[in-house]
Amino acid sequence: MAKKQKTDLYQGHDYYLLDEFLSSEHKLAREAVREWVKQEVSPIIEEYSERADCPQHLFKGLAEVGAYGPSLPVEYGGGGMDEIAYGIIMQELERGDSGIRSMASVQGSLVMYPIYKFGSEDQKRKYLPKLAKGELIGCFGLTEPDHGSNPGGMTTNVRDDGDAYILNGAKLWITNSPVADIAVVWAKNEDGKIIGLIVEKGLKGYSAPEIHGKWSLRASITGELVFDNVRVPKSMVLPGVQGLKGPLSCLSKARYGIAWGAIGAGLDCYDTALRYAKERIQFGKPLAAFQLTQKKLAEMITELTKAQLMAWRLGTLANKGQATPAQISMAKRNNVYTSLVVARESRQILGGMGITNEYPIMRHMNNLETVLTYEGTHDIHLLITGHDITGISAFE
Ligand code: TGC
Ligand code: FAD
């Protein structure tokens, strides 16, 4: 009877030896964030999730490990690294918790990125370094109560009022909004064109109530944004873009990070299940000795390896500026779903223990239900692929 066992769990995580393609900079970034997650996130995350409390003290720590805008230029406070480094950082954060990765995704890809890409030089100098250091927290307001998958139908609007715009409307499901100092808000102007504005907390008529009762992403704070005749100076409009492609291009940046990030949650579940299956004895044998358990574990690592390959290839395309929105959609959809299935299978391997907070699986599984929905739902991404391969949009 062959009893050869692999003991290095991280080796098991990299079944196709993708490490060979990583630079020393990638590995250093990974080690730094992995260590930070072990020290700062893992010991507290179950408690914060159980209380549905956002560990806000981690906003600063995320800045210190370079999680905000890793691939944005250094002169604006970004990390100056490539897209693969950005992906790896998201993966390590989400190994800890999807909500912690969300804190970084929103700040870096949905707040810093649009200011960097579409903002004026004054806006960049004023906001980006402070956002990179976690001195300011931002949020991204696209979704509305009646316009989720179809943001082009938004009704939030601005009216011209001399040197300012009067902003009215409401945004729903906004990560970080109750604690945010600024919001990047997408609204229609009087010509019906979508524009982006930087809206500072504290303006008269601005409020951001928290949404309670989430069974998913409980360590991430989510809220509304309500604008009741808010007077926003015209200097706060992002001058570089008009139309839905503005917010959608920010989503491409964030979805790319999620395609990597979700793998982290899946790997943490797989890792936990593998370890448990080797230790837990039933019928006189470890669970790992049963063929049905091996089938589950083997399928998990196969699917996770495919997800890793997809993320890595997408990263090489992104580094050349060639990753298309549809390719990003495919990877976001596939990798989130893979990790959700891995979480469900891992939960089964742990039996009753799998539903407790002694192990991270149920938290990851519940989190991944949100990740499957936000940044474009599972089905919307499938329809984006459908559009890409047929040339026919299912949305018109
Ligand atoms: P459609 O006609 O297809 O496109 C309108 C214009 O946008 C361009 N475009 C993109 N540009 C850059 N990146 C992308 N990913 C793009 N996708 C489309 C497109 O070329 C076109 O440009 P132009 O110049 O011709 O005007 O638009 P549509 O109205 O048919 O909608 C398409 C659809 C349904 C795919 C899109 O609206 C969509 O992706 N819906 C999903 C909405 C969504 O993902 N919302 C996410 C909200 S933010 C969030 O969830 C944050 S969670 C944060 C966290 O905590 O991590
Ligand atoms: P709907 O659009 O109502 O969709 C409901 C169902 O119908 C889905 O299954 C969907 O796939 C399906 N459906 C819709 N249209 C079609 C179609 N044409 N064909 C087939 N099926 C369809 N948004 C932000 O702007 N900023 C944030 O920071 C943010 N953070 C979030 C945090 C959390 C915790 C959550 C849960 C959401 C967040 N969102 C955020 C919103 C998120 O992007 C939306 O929930 C998502 O885009 C889906 O919109 P919806 O919930 O309105 O669902």
Side-chain angles (χ1 to χ4, degrees), residues 29 32-33 60-71 77-79 81 85-86 89-90 93 104 132:
V33 179
K60 273 275 164 58
L62 281 163
E64 281 155 19
V65 291
Y68 299 148
S71 57
M81 291 185 283
Y86 162 41
I89 289 173
M90 296 301 121
L93 293 177

Side-chain angles (χ1 to χ4, degrees), residues 101-102 149 151 175 244-245 248-249 251-252 255 325 374-376:
R101 196 268 306 135
S102 254
S149 297
T175 301
L244 195 55
K245 64 178 177 292
L248 290 182
S249 59
L251 294 182
S252 282
R255 290 167 178 172
Y374 71 19
E375 298 273 5

Side-chain angles (χ1 to χ4, degrees), residues 105-137:
S105 298
V106 169
Q107 183 88 345
S109 301
L110 296 180
V111 180
M112 291 173 65
Y113 177 74
I115 296 174
Y116 165 68
K117 186 83 180 159
F118 307 124
S120 67
E121 198 52 34
D122 281 353
Q123 291 168 344
K124 290 184 211 182
R125 300 265 166 223
K126 179 172 178 191
Y127 293 109
L128 292 179
K130 287 188 178 163
L131 287 161
K133 287 191 203 129
E135 291 169 10
L136 286 179
I137 300 304

